[in-house]
């Protein structure tokens, strides 16, 4: 029996070096001692995976087991949901303005609002009020379902802040989701073995 891994040894070594270098460079300043990386082909083939800084000091795999908030990297699922389920296209104009759902009032980084912007600019600038407004219009359940179709294990009706990335996912799940963006919308499974 011959088992062939999808891991690219050169890329794996480079990923490990980058993690170590970044942690050495900014880890203390940012108060972080670990990091995770998943590098995946659009077909789901895992080319490199780093689950932490040093397996000898911690066997916990942060790439496959740790759940963290993806932050703004979650927003493409919201925008794509709006393109599919709403009457939107990349040039559709929406007003970046204060928005509240109950007591939750998300603000943009820096606290400023940009007024009327198209969706392309809104996602490029990582504005927060616009994905919230889009999710209000198309329904947060639709956004959650859409992200689930891309491979993110979300509840069917998550709390509202999930639309700006305040939901916990694994690094490998986010890589699987992004692989579908890269391959024309086809969902994949992470494959470490060919």
């Amino acid at each position: 029996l011959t088992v062939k891994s999808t891991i690219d040894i050169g890329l794996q070594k480079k990923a490990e070096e980058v993690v170590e270098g970044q942690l050495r460079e900014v880890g203390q300043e940012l108060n972080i001692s670990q990091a995770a990386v998943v590098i995946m082909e659009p077909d789901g083939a895992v080319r490199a995976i780093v689950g932490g800084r040093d397996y000898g000091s911690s066997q916990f795999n942060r790439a496959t087991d740790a759940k963290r908030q993806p932050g703004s990297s979650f927003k493409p699922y919201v925008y794509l949901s709006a393109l599919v389920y709403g009457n939107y296209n990349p040039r559709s104009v929406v007003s970046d303005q204060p928005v509240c759902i109950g007591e939750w009032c998300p603000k943009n980084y820096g606290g400023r609002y940009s007024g009327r912007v198209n969706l392309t600019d809104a996602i490029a600038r990582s504005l927060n009020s616009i994905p919230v407004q889009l999710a209000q219009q198309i329904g947060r359940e639709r956004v959650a379902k859409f992200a689930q179709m891309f491979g993110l294990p979300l509840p069917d009706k998550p709390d509202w802040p999930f639309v700006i990335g305040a939901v916990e996912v694994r690094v490998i799940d986010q890589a699987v989701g992004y692989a579908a963006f890269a391959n024309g919308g086809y969902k994949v499974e992470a494959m470490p073995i060919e």
Side-chain angles (χ1 to χ4, degrees), residues 110-125:
R112 293 189 182 160
Y113 295 95
S114 301
R116 296 175 57 78
V117 294
N118 66 42
L119 294 186
T120 301
D121 289 339
I123 195 169
R125 294 168 59 191

Side-chain angles (χ1 to χ4, degrees), residues 96-98 106-115 125 127-129:
D96 179 35
Q97 62 191 12
K107 295 178 176 37
N108 291 326
Y109 183 77
R112 293 189 182 160
Y113 295 95
S114 301
R125 294 168 59 191
L127 301 174
N128 282 335
S129 79

Side-chain angles (χ1 to χ4, degrees), residues 11-110:
L11 195 55
Q12 177 68 32
K13 185 172 171 37
K14 185 66 176 171
E16 291 169 4
E17 290 170 0
V18 168
V19 165
E20 180 58 34
Q22 286 296 299
L23 289 172
R24 209 176 313 114
E25 186 177 321
V26 296
Q28 189 170 4
E29 174 187 333
L30 298 175
N31 194 30
I32 56 173
S33 61
Q34 296 288 344
V37 173
V38 174
I39 300 174
M40 181 183 292
E41 295 285 344
D43 66 359
V46 177
R47 296 298 179 205
I49 186 166
V50 179
R53 184 179 210 164
D54 177 18
Y55 184 80
S57 64
S58 172
Q59 291 78 47
F60 183 68
N61 189 330
R62 288 152 189 85
T64 60
D65 298 328
K67 290 187 174 184
R68 299 287 183 265
Q69 292 183 355
S72 292
S73 70
F74 184 84
K75 293 175 185 173
Y77 304 108
V78 180
Y79 283 90
L80 191 54
S81 298
L83 297 178
V84 171
Y85 296 123
N87 293 319
Y88 295 98
N89 66 62
R91 290 181 298 280
S92 295
V93 176
V94 180
S95 182
D96 179 35
Q97 62 191 12
V99 61
C100 290
I101 299 173
E103 305 254 333
W104 180 59
C105 303
K107 295 178 176 37
N108 291 326
Y109 183 77

Side-chain angles (χ1 to χ4, degrees), residues 94-171:
V94 180
S95 182
D96 179 35
Q97 62 191 12
V99 61
C100 290
I101 299 173
E103 305 254 333
W104 180 59
C105 303
K107 295 178 176 37
N108 291 326
Y109 183 77
R112 293 189 182 160
Y113 295 95
S114 301
R116 296 175 57 78
V117 294
N118 66 42
L119 294 186
T120 301
D121 289 339
I123 195 169
R125 294 168 59 191
S126 192
L127 301 174
N128 282 335
S129 79
I130 293 184
V132 174
Q133 292 175 64
L134 294 173
Q136 282 181 301
Q137 292 172 10
I138 63 174
R140 69 178 160 169
E141 294 85 359
R142 278 186 161 167
V143 174
K145 190 74 161 163
F146 206 74
Q148 289 168 351
M149 290 188 317
F150 274 71
L152 273 71
L154 299 179
D156 290 336
K157 192 172 181 178
D159 293 333
W160 275 104
F162 91 100
V163 300
I164 57 172
V167 63
E168 292 185 339
V169 298
R170 300 176 311 160
V171 174

